[in-house]
Amino acid sequence: MAEEIVITEEMRALIGIESTPWAHEVTTTSVRAFARGVGYTDLVYYDVEAAQAAGYRSLPCPPTYLGTPIFIPGQSSETFSGPKEDGPTLEHGLPNLLDGGTETEYLADICAGDTLHVSSSIADLSIREGKSTGKMLIVTRETRCINQNGDLVARQRGQAIFY
Amino acid sequence: MARTWDSFSEGDALPELIKTPGVSDLVKYSAGGGDFNPLHHDYAFPQAKAIGSIIVHGRFKYACLGELVSNWLDHGGRIENIACQYRGMDLPDQTMTCGGVVKRKWEEDGKKLAELELFVENSSGKNTTPGTARVVFK
């Protein structure tokens, strides 16, 4: 358990630096895989005809799904599937990670056939005391998703907890 | 049937969604979303050993709240915003009750909107994942 966590000037200097965009594909297969993983029984997320009958171009992204990062061996993270190096790294030395929270704002529908160019930046760094985790570093990250037409279709804000 | 603006009132509860995800379900979610953090499938992972168990992905619970809202809305509108906080860990094979209530229903700039308050309650009755959603109707 970390006795003390210090947010250094070097760490603060990384706030606001935009990562290199990485492509996330939304395909009929990826939408089905996500819907199946959550446990949806709604055919709109599986059957293109049902999706079109409900007014969508193709299978829509279920809420909270923003495509699957394209996997390239060596370039992608084996654990989280996103790019391994997409910007400056926060050197904090804390081994454990928990998710703190997520907010997604949608500006348009996202459907199978779309490719999202996803980039993110650190919005805030703070320190909190957890009951079972001791001192924790809270990293708030903002993510932007721009589709193949150049439209901002979603924004996400999430808190990663390191301890 | 797609949800219509006239079919609900403030204070209405959303039909609950019950989930009891086992390890296989968590693996399916990992594959679907691309998050292969061993904390969600490997009991030998040091963090899981320290906690005493693997834990349900926060994002799985978030996605379940998404499913709850999607089922209620039934494509009668669009989610503009959905958020939650992971306040407590949930363990595999434990029943989670996902639910919500209509907090506010209003019209603004010609848009028909509703604000929902969401929760994931564990088997001890604790809300581990409070959330909110704003939906706009067709």
Side-chain angles (χ1 to χ4, degrees):
Chain A
M1 218 176 267
E3 291 293 321
E4 205 52 66
I5 299 172
V6 177
I7 299 173
T8 62
E9 281 309 305
E10 287 77 11
M11 289 162 77
R12 286 214 180 278
L14 301 181
I15 291 174
I17 297 179
E18 183 100 1
S19 68
T20 309
W22 191 265
H24 288 217
E25 283 179 334
V26 182
T27 67
T28 48
T29 301
S30 79
V31 168
R32 287 189 194 101
F34 187 86
R36 185 181 173 201
V38 179
Y40 276 95
T41 54
D42 183 348
L43 287 180
V44 166
Y45 298 114
Y46 298 93
D47 179 340
V48 175
E49 276 182 32
Q52 288 171 344
Y56 300 99
R57 288 172 277 135
S58 182
L59 303 185
C61 270
T64 80
Y65 176 63
L66 294 173
T68 300
I70 289 181
F71 185 84
I72 307 285
Q75 292 180 41
S76 302
S77 156
E78 283 294 336
T79 305
F80 296 109
S81 306
K84 257 200 301 207
E85 287 171 29
D86 61 344
T89 311
L90 203 56
E91 302 289 351
H92 51 63
L94 300 164
N96 297 310
L97 169 65
L98 289 172
D99 206 342
T102 321
E103 175 173 13
T104 310
E105 183 190 354
Y106 290 99
L107 297 110
D109 280 334
I110 307 167
C111 292
D114 289 349
T115 300
L116 305 179
H117 298 278
V118 178
S119 62
S120 67
S121 57
I122 296 167
D124 188 51
L125 297 171
S126 65
I127 291 166
R128 240 186 275 159
E129 182 88 36
K131 263 183 284 187
S132 58
T133 51
K135 288 259 178 10
M136 315 181 290
L137 172 68
I138 317 290
V139 181
T140 302
R141 188 171 274 280
E142 277 178 356
T143 303
R144 287 160 287 280
C145 302
I146 294 172
N147 71 9
Q148 64 280 5
N149 304 319
D151 299 325
L152 179 68
V153 290
R155 266 196 289 255
Q156 203 166 63
R157 196 177 165 90
Q159 281 83 37
I161 300 172
F162 294 94
Y163 67 98
Chain B
M1 268 249 301
R3 169 87 35 199
T4 59
W5 174 251
D6 300 320
S7 70
F8 67 95
S9 309
E10 285 181 0
D12 282 2
L14 278 63
E16 288 179 344
L17 181 64
I18 310 292
K19 299 271 184 182
T20 312
V23 181
S24 300
D25 298 306
L26 299 184
V27 168
K28 259 188 223 175
Y29 178 75
S30 294
D35 175 355
F36 295 99
N37 186 343
L39 181 57
H40 309 301
H41 61 257
D42 184 357
Y43 283 91
F45 184 59
Q47 192 182 0
K49 278 175 42 184
I51 290 168
S53 176
I54 62 167
I55 62 170
V56 176
H57 310 65
R59 288 293 188 101
F60 177 78
K61 296 187 278 182
Y62 184 42
C64 291
L65 290 177
E67 183 189 357
L68 171 86
V69 175
S70 176
N71 289 348
W72 178 75
L73 198 55
D74 199 13
H75 311 286
R78 207 166 68 71
I79 295 176
E80 282 195 330
N81 188 296
I82 182 162
C84 72
Q85 289 185 309
Y86 314 114
R87 295 265 179 85
M89 296 178 194
D90 284 278
L91 306 181
D93 300 316
Q94 301 286 309
T95 295
M96 309 189 301
T97 304
C98 309
V101 67
V102 179
K103 288 301 283 185
R104 187 175 166 221
K105 178 181 174 183
W106 78 106
E107 292 186 65
E108 190 180 300
D109 303 328
K111 288 206 293 189
K112 295 176 178 350
L113 297 153
E115 186 83 37
L116 313 174
E117 193 173 272
L118 310 172
F119 62 83
V120 177
E121 197 175 273
N122 68 14
S123 50
S124 315
K126 184 187 175 213
N127 180 3
T128 65
T129 319
T132 56
R134 188 178 68 245
V135 296
V136 57
F137 286 81
K138 283 182 182 164

